Amino acid sequence: MCNNENKERGSIVIIAALSLTMLLLLGSFLVDFGRAYVQMSQLQNAVDASVLAAVQELPDTTNALNYADQYISSNGFSPSDIDVSFSNGNRTVTVTGTKTFNYSSAGPGTDYGAHTLKLTK
Protein backbone atom coordinates (compact mmCIF):
# COMPACT_ATOMS: atom_id res chain seq x y z
CA MET A 1 0.00 0.00 0.00
CA CYS A 2 2.88 2.30 0.66
CA ASN A 3 4.14 1.82 -2.91
CA ASN A 4 0.94 3.21 -4.52
CA GLU A 5 1.09 6.39 -2.46
CA ASN A 6 4.64 7.08 -3.63
CA LYS A 7 3.66 6.67 -7.32
CA GLU A 8 0.90 9.28 -7.08
CA ARG A 9 2.97 11.72 -5.13
CA GLY A 10 3.55 14.97 -7.04
CA SER A 11 0.65 14.55 -9.45
CA ILE A 12 -1.12 17.51 -7.87
CA VAL A 13 1.71 19.76 -9.08
CA ILE A 14 1.08 18.75 -12.70
CA ILE A 15 -2.69 19.18 -12.35
CA ALA A 16 -2.24 22.59 -10.70
CA ALA A 17 0.20 23.76 -13.39
CA LEU A 18 -2.16 22.73 -16.20
CA SER A 19 -5.14 24.31 -14.45
CA LEU A 20 -3.32 27.62 -13.90
CA THR A 21 -2.19 27.68 -17.53
CA MET A 22 -5.75 27.20 -18.76
CA LEU A 23 -7.00 29.82 -16.32
CA LEU A 24 -4.44 32.37 -17.56
CA LEU A 25 -5.34 31.68 -21.20
CA LEU A 26 -9.05 32.07 -20.46
CA GLY A 27 -8.34 35.32 -18.61
CA SER A 28 -6.37 36.77 -21.53
CA PHE A 29 -9.16 35.92 -23.98
CA LEU A 30 -11.71 37.54 -21.68
CA VAL A 31 -9.59 40.70 -21.53
CA ASP A 32 -9.44 40.78 -25.34
CA PHE A 33 -13.19 40.26 -25.63
CA GLY A 34 -13.77 43.09 -23.14
CA ARG A 35 -11.46 45.41 -25.06
CA ALA A 36 -13.25 44.59 -28.33
CA TYR A 37 -16.62 45.26 -26.71
CA VAL A 38 -15.48 48.64 -25.33
CA GLN A 39 -13.90 49.63 -28.67
CA MET A 40 -17.09 48.70 -30.53
CA SER A 41 -19.21 50.67 -28.08
CA GLN A 42 -17.00 53.75 -28.42
CA LEU A 43 -17.02 53.46 -32.21
CA GLN A 44 -20.80 53.13 -32.22
CA ASN A 45 -21.20 56.27 -30.09
CA ALA A 46 -18.82 58.22 -32.33
CA VAL A 47 -20.54 57.09 -35.55
CA ASP A 48 -23.98 57.89 -34.09
CA ALA A 49 -22.84 61.40 -33.16
CA SER A 50 -21.31 61.91 -36.61
CA VAL A 51 -24.48 60.80 -38.40
CA LEU A 52 -26.69 63.06 -36.29
CA ALA A 53 -24.37 66.02 -36.86
CA ALA A 54 -24.17 65.41 -40.60
CA VAL A 55 -27.93 64.97 -41.06
CA GLN A 56 -28.62 68.39 -39.58
CA GLU A 57 -26.55 70.02 -42.33
CA LEU A 58 -28.12 68.26 -45.31
CA PRO A 59 -28.53 68.94 -48.23
CA ASP A 60 -25.21 70.88 -47.94
CA THR A 61 -22.83 67.92 -48.20
CA THR A 62 -19.69 69.99 -47.59
CA ASN A 63 -20.90 71.20 -44.21
CA ALA A 64 -22.31 67.76 -43.41
CA LEU A 65 -18.92 66.16 -44.08
CA ASN A 66 -17.13 68.80 -41.98
CA TYR A 67 -19.50 68.27 -39.05
CA ALA A 68 -19.17 64.48 -39.30
CA ASP A 69 -15.37 64.82 -39.16
CA GLN A 70 -15.62 67.25 -36.25
CA TYR A 71 -17.82 64.94 -34.20
CA ILE A 72 -15.75 61.83 -34.91
CA SER A 73 -12.64 63.74 -33.77
CA SER A 74 -14.32 64.98 -30.60
CA ASN A 75 -15.11 61.34 -29.74
CA GLY A 76 -11.48 60.25 -29.90
CA PHE A 77 -11.31 58.86 -33.42
CA SER A 78 -9.63 60.13 -36.56
CA PRO A 79 -11.60 61.36 -39.58
CA SER A 80 -9.77 58.65 -41.53
CA ASP A 81 -11.63 56.07 -39.39
CA ILE A 82 -14.95 56.93 -41.07
CA ASP A 83 -16.34 56.96 -44.58
CA VAL A 84 -19.22 59.36 -45.21
CA SER A 85 -21.46 58.90 -48.25
CA PHE A 86 -24.58 60.68 -49.43
CA SER A 87 -27.49 59.26 -51.42
CA ASN A 88 -31.10 59.89 -52.36
CA GLY A 89 -30.43 63.35 -53.75
CA ASN A 90 -28.26 64.30 -50.76
CA ARG A 91 -31.11 63.56 -48.38
CA THR A 92 -29.57 60.44 -46.82
CA VAL A 93 -26.19 60.13 -45.14
CA THR A 94 -24.35 56.89 -44.39
CA VAL A 95 -21.36 56.81 -42.07
CA THR A 96 -19.17 53.71 -41.87
CA GLY A 97 -16.67 53.58 -39.04
CA THR A 98 -13.71 51.21 -39.07
CA LYS A 99 -11.16 50.70 -36.28
CA THR A 100 -8.39 48.10 -36.00
CA PHE A 101 -6.99 47.00 -32.66
CA ASN A 102 -4.45 44.39 -31.59
CA TYR A 103 -5.21 41.46 -29.35
CA SER A 104 -3.16 41.41 -26.17
CA SER A 105 -3.18 37.61 -25.97
CA ALA A 106 -1.54 37.24 -29.38
CA GLY A 107 2.20 37.38 -29.07
CA PRO A 108 4.49 39.56 -31.18
CA GLY A 109 5.03 38.35 -34.71
CA THR A 110 1.67 36.62 -35.02
CA ASP A 111 -0.58 37.30 -37.97
CA TYR A 112 -3.81 36.88 -36.00
CA GLY A 113 -3.06 39.65 -33.52
CA ALA A 114 -5.29 42.32 -35.10
CA HIS A 115 -9.02 42.63 -35.56
CA THR A 116 -10.99 45.22 -37.49
CA LEU A 117 -14.28 46.52 -36.14
CA LYS A 118 -16.69 47.90 -38.73
CA LEU A 119 -19.97 49.69 -38.09
CA THR A 120 -22.36 51.33 -40.56
CA LYS A 121 -25.18 53.72 -39.67
Short mmCIF file of all heavy atoms in Angstrom, two decimals, residues 85-117:
data_model
loop_
_atom_site.label_atom_id
_atom_site.label_comp_id
_atom_site.label_asym_id
_atom_site.label_seq_id
_atom_site.Cartn_x
_atom_site.Cartn_y
_atom_site.Cartn_z
N SER A 85 -20.91 58.88 -46.89
CA SER A 85 -21.46 58.90 -48.25
C SER A 85 -22.88 59.46 -48.21
O SER A 85 -23.57 59.36 -47.19
CB SER A 85 -21.44 57.51 -48.87
OG SER A 85 -22.22 56.63 -48.11
N PHE A 86 -23.27 60.05 -49.31
CA PHE A 86 -24.58 60.68 -49.43
C PHE A 86 -25.35 60.01 -50.56
O PHE A 86 -24.79 59.64 -51.58
CB PHE A 86 -24.44 62.18 -49.70
CG PHE A 86 -23.64 62.89 -48.65
CD1 PHE A 86 -22.30 63.16 -48.84
CD2 PHE A 86 -24.23 63.28 -47.46
CE1 PHE A 86 -21.56 63.80 -47.88
CE2 PHE A 86 -23.50 63.92 -46.48
CZ PHE A 86 -22.15 64.18 -46.69
N SER A 87 -26.66 59.87 -50.39
CA SER A 87 -27.49 59.26 -51.42
C SER A 87 -28.88 59.89 -51.39
O SER A 87 -29.16 60.75 -50.56
CB SER A 87 -27.58 57.75 -51.21
OG SER A 87 -28.15 57.46 -49.96
N ASN A 88 -29.72 59.43 -52.29
CA ASN A 88 -31.10 59.89 -52.36
C ASN A 88 -31.19 61.40 -52.53
O ASN A 88 -31.91 62.08 -51.81
CB ASN A 88 -31.86 59.42 -51.11
CG ASN A 88 -33.35 59.48 -51.27
OD1 ASN A 88 -33.85 59.58 -52.40
ND2 ASN A 88 -34.06 59.43 -50.17
N GLY A 89 -30.41 61.91 -53.48
CA GLY A 89 -30.43 63.35 -53.75
C GLY A 89 -29.89 64.16 -52.57
O GLY A 89 -30.42 65.22 -52.27
N ASN A 90 -28.87 63.66 -51.94
CA ASN A 90 -28.26 64.30 -50.76
C ASN A 90 -29.24 64.46 -49.61
O ASN A 90 -29.15 65.39 -48.81
CB ASN A 90 -27.63 65.65 -51.12
CG ASN A 90 -26.44 65.50 -52.04
OD1 ASN A 90 -25.83 64.43 -52.08
ND2 ASN A 90 -26.13 66.52 -52.79
N ARG A 91 -30.17 63.53 -49.50
CA ARG A 91 -31.11 63.56 -48.38
C ARG A 91 -30.84 62.45 -47.36
O ARG A 91 -31.46 62.42 -46.32
CB ARG A 91 -32.54 63.44 -48.93
CG ARG A 91 -32.89 64.61 -49.84
CD ARG A 91 -34.23 64.46 -50.47
NE ARG A 91 -35.27 64.56 -49.46
CZ ARG A 91 -36.51 64.19 -49.66
NH1 ARG A 91 -36.87 63.66 -50.81
NH2 ARG A 91 -37.40 64.32 -48.70
N THR A 92 -29.92 61.55 -47.71
CA THR A 92 -29.57 60.44 -46.82
C THR A 92 -28.06 60.42 -46.65
O THR A 92 -27.32 60.57 -47.62
CB THR A 92 -30.02 59.09 -47.43
OG1 THR A 92 -31.42 59.16 -47.70
CG2 THR A 92 -29.74 57.95 -46.49
N VAL A 93 -27.63 60.22 -45.42
CA VAL A 93 -26.19 60.13 -45.14
C VAL A 93 -25.91 58.76 -44.51
O VAL A 93 -26.69 58.26 -43.70
CB VAL A 93 -25.71 61.28 -44.22
CG1 VAL A 93 -26.37 61.22 -42.86
CG2 VAL A 93 -24.21 61.27 -44.07
N THR A 94 -24.81 58.17 -44.94
CA THR A 94 -24.35 56.89 -44.39
C THR A 94 -22.92 57.08 -43.89
O THR A 94 -22.07 57.55 -44.63
CB THR A 94 -24.38 55.77 -45.45
OG1 THR A 94 -25.71 55.67 -45.97
CG2 THR A 94 -23.95 54.45 -44.87
N VAL A 95 -22.69 56.72 -42.65
CA VAL A 95 -21.36 56.81 -42.07
C VAL A 95 -20.92 55.40 -41.70
O VAL A 95 -21.63 54.68 -40.99
CB VAL A 95 -21.34 57.72 -40.83
CG1 VAL A 95 -19.96 57.74 -40.20
CG2 VAL A 95 -21.76 59.13 -41.19
N THR A 96 -19.76 55.00 -42.19
CA THR A 96 -19.17 53.71 -41.87
C THR A 96 -17.88 53.95 -41.08
O THR A 96 -16.99 54.63 -41.57
CB THR A 96 -18.86 52.90 -43.15
OG1 THR A 96 -20.06 52.75 -43.89
CG2 THR A 96 -18.28 51.54 -42.80
N GLY A 97 -17.85 53.44 -39.89
CA GLY A 97 -16.67 53.58 -39.04
C GLY A 97 -15.89 52.28 -39.00
O GLY A 97 -16.46 51.21 -38.89
N THR A 98 -14.58 52.38 -39.10
CA THR A 98 -13.71 51.21 -39.07
C THR A 98 -12.55 51.49 -38.13
O THR A 98 -11.91 52.53 -38.22
CB THR A 98 -13.15 50.90 -40.48
OG1 THR A 98 -14.24 50.79 -41.39
CG2 THR A 98 -12.36 49.62 -40.49
N LYS A 99 -12.27 50.55 -37.23
CA LYS A 99 -11.16 50.70 -36.28
C LYS A 99 -10.49 49.35 -36.11
O LYS A 99 -11.15 48.34 -35.91
CB LYS A 99 -11.68 51.21 -34.93
CG LYS A 99 -10.60 51.58 -33.96
CD LYS A 99 -9.83 52.79 -34.44
CE LYS A 99 -8.78 53.18 -33.44
NZ LYS A 99 -7.89 54.18 -33.93
N THR A 100 -9.16 49.32 -36.18
CA THR A 100 -8.39 48.10 -36.00
C THR A 100 -7.67 48.17 -34.66
O THR A 100 -7.10 49.19 -34.31
CB THR A 100 -7.36 47.94 -37.14
OG1 THR A 100 -8.04 47.92 -38.38
CG2 THR A 100 -6.56 46.67 -36.98
N PHE A 101 -7.72 47.08 -33.92
CA PHE A 101 -6.99 47.00 -32.66
C PHE A 101 -6.28 45.66 -32.57
O PHE A 101 -6.67 44.70 -33.22
CB PHE A 101 -7.91 47.24 -31.46
CG PHE A 101 -8.80 46.08 -31.12
CD1 PHE A 101 -8.46 45.21 -30.11
CD2 PHE A 101 -9.97 45.87 -31.82
CE1 PHE A 101 -9.28 44.15 -29.80
CE2 PHE A 101 -10.80 44.81 -31.52
CZ PHE A 101 -10.45 43.94 -30.51
N ASN A 102 -5.24 45.61 -31.75
CA ASN A 102 -4.45 44.39 -31.59
C ASN A 102 -4.90 43.63 -30.36
O ASN A 102 -5.19 44.23 -29.33
CB ASN A 102 -2.97 44.72 -31.47
CG ASN A 102 -2.39 45.25 -32.76
OD1 ASN A 102 -2.76 44.80 -33.84
ND2 ASN A 102 -1.50 46.20 -32.68
N TYR A 103 -4.92 42.31 -30.50
CA TYR A 103 -5.21 41.46 -29.35
C TYR A 103 -4.02 41.47 -28.41
O TYR A 103 -2.88 41.45 -28.85
CB TYR A 103 -5.46 40.02 -29.79
CG TYR A 103 -6.74 39.81 -30.54
CD1 TYR A 103 -6.73 39.36 -31.84
CD2 TYR A 103 -7.96 40.03 -29.92
CE1 TYR A 103 -7.91 39.15 -32.53
CE2 TYR A 103 -9.14 39.82 -30.60
CZ TYR A 103 -9.11 39.38 -31.90
OH TYR A 103 -10.27 39.16 -32.57
N SER A 104 -4.27 41.47 -27.12
CA SER A 104 -3.16 41.41 -26.17
C SER A 104 -2.71 39.98 -25.94
O SER A 104 -1.58 39.74 -25.54
CB SER A 104 -3.55 42.06 -24.84
OG SER A 104 -4.64 41.37 -24.27
N SER A 105 -3.57 39.00 -26.21
CA SER A 105 -3.18 37.61 -25.97
C SER A 105 -2.37 37.03 -27.12
O SER A 105 -1.79 35.97 -26.99
CB SER A 105 -4.42 36.74 -25.73
OG SER A 105 -5.26 36.78 -26.85
N ALA A 106 -2.34 37.71 -28.26
CA ALA A 106 -1.54 37.24 -29.38
C ALA A 106 -0.13 37.81 -29.23
O ALA A 106 0.05 39.00 -29.07
CB ALA A 106 -2.15 37.70 -30.70
N GLY A 107 0.81 36.96 -29.27
CA GLY A 107 2.20 37.38 -29.07
C GLY A 107 2.73 38.17 -30.26
O GLY A 107 2.11 38.22 -31.32
N PRO A 108 3.89 38.80 -30.09
CA PRO A 108 4.49 39.56 -31.18
C PRO A 108 4.86 38.64 -32.34
O PRO A 108 5.24 37.48 -32.13
CB PRO A 108 5.73 40.19 -30.55
CG PRO A 108 5.99 39.42 -29.31
CD PRO A 108 4.70 38.81 -28.88
N GLY A 109 4.69 39.13 -33.53
CA GLY A 109 5.03 38.35 -34.71
C GLY A 109 3.94 37.42 -35.19
O GLY A 109 4.14 36.65 -36.11
N THR A 110 2.77 37.48 -34.57
CA THR A 110 1.67 36.62 -35.02
C THR A 110 0.82 37.38 -36.02
O THR A 110 0.67 38.58 -35.94
CB THR A 110 0.80 36.17 -33.84
OG1 THR A 110 0.29 37.33 -33.18
CG2 THR A 110 1.59 35.34 -32.85
N ASP A 111 0.24 36.65 -36.96
CA ASP A 111 -0.58 37.30 -37.97
C ASP A 111 -2.04 37.37 -37.57
O ASP A 111 -2.85 37.93 -38.28
CB ASP A 111 -0.43 36.60 -39.32
CG ASP A 111 -0.81 35.14 -39.26
OD1 ASP A 111 -1.03 34.62 -38.15
OD2 ASP A 111 -0.89 34.50 -40.32
N TYR A 112 -2.43 36.81 -36.44
CA TYR A 112 -3.81 36.88 -36.00
C TYR A 112 -3.98 37.83 -34.84
O TYR A 112 -4.95 37.78 -34.12
CB TYR A 112 -4.33 35.49 -35.63
CG TYR A 112 -3.55 34.81 -34.53
CD1 TYR A 112 -3.88 34.97 -33.19
CD2 TYR A 112 -2.47 34.01 -34.84
CE1 TYR A 112 -3.16 34.35 -32.21
CE2 TYR A 112 -1.73 33.39 -33.86
CZ TYR A 112 -2.08 33.57 -32.54
OH TYR A 112 -1.36 32.96 -31.57
N GLY A 113 -3.04 38.75 -34.66
CA GLY A 113 -3.06 39.65 -33.52
C GLY A 113 -3.86 40.92 -33.73
O GLY A 113 -3.89 41.77 -32.87
N ALA A 114 -4.52 41.10 -34.87
CA ALA A 114 -5.29 42.32 -35.10
C ALA A 114 -6.70 41.96 -35.54
O ALA A 114 -6.93 40.94 -36.17
CB ALA A 114 -4.62 43.18 -36.17
N HIS A 115 -7.63 42.82 -35.18
CA HIS A 115 -9.02 42.63 -35.56
C HIS A 115 -9.59 43.98 -35.97
O HIS A 115 -9.30 45.00 -35.34
CB HIS A 115 -9.81 42.06 -34.38
CG HIS A 115 -11.23 41.76 -34.72
ND1 HIS A 115 -11.59 40.71 -35.54
CD2 HIS A 115 -12.38 42.38 -34.39
CE1 HIS A 115 -12.90 40.70 -35.68
NE2 HIS A 115 -13.40 41.70 -34.98
N THR A 116 -10.39 43.99 -37.00
CA THR A 116 -10.99 45.22 -37.49
C THR A 116 -12.47 45.23 -37.13
O THR A 116 -13.20 44.29 -37.42
CB THR A 116 -10.83 45.35 -39.01
OG1 THR A 116 -9.43 45.32 -39.32
CG2 THR A 116 -11.44 46.63 -39.51
N LEU A 117 -12.88 46.31 -36.46
CA LEU A 117 -14.28 46.52 -36.14
C LEU A 117 -14.87 47.43 -37.20
O LEU A 117 -14.29 48.45 -37.55
CB LEU A 117 -14.40 47.19 -34.76
CG LEU A 117 -13.78 46.46 -33.60
CD1 LEU A 117 -13.81 47.33 -32.35
CD2 LEU A 117 -14.52 45.16 -33.33
#
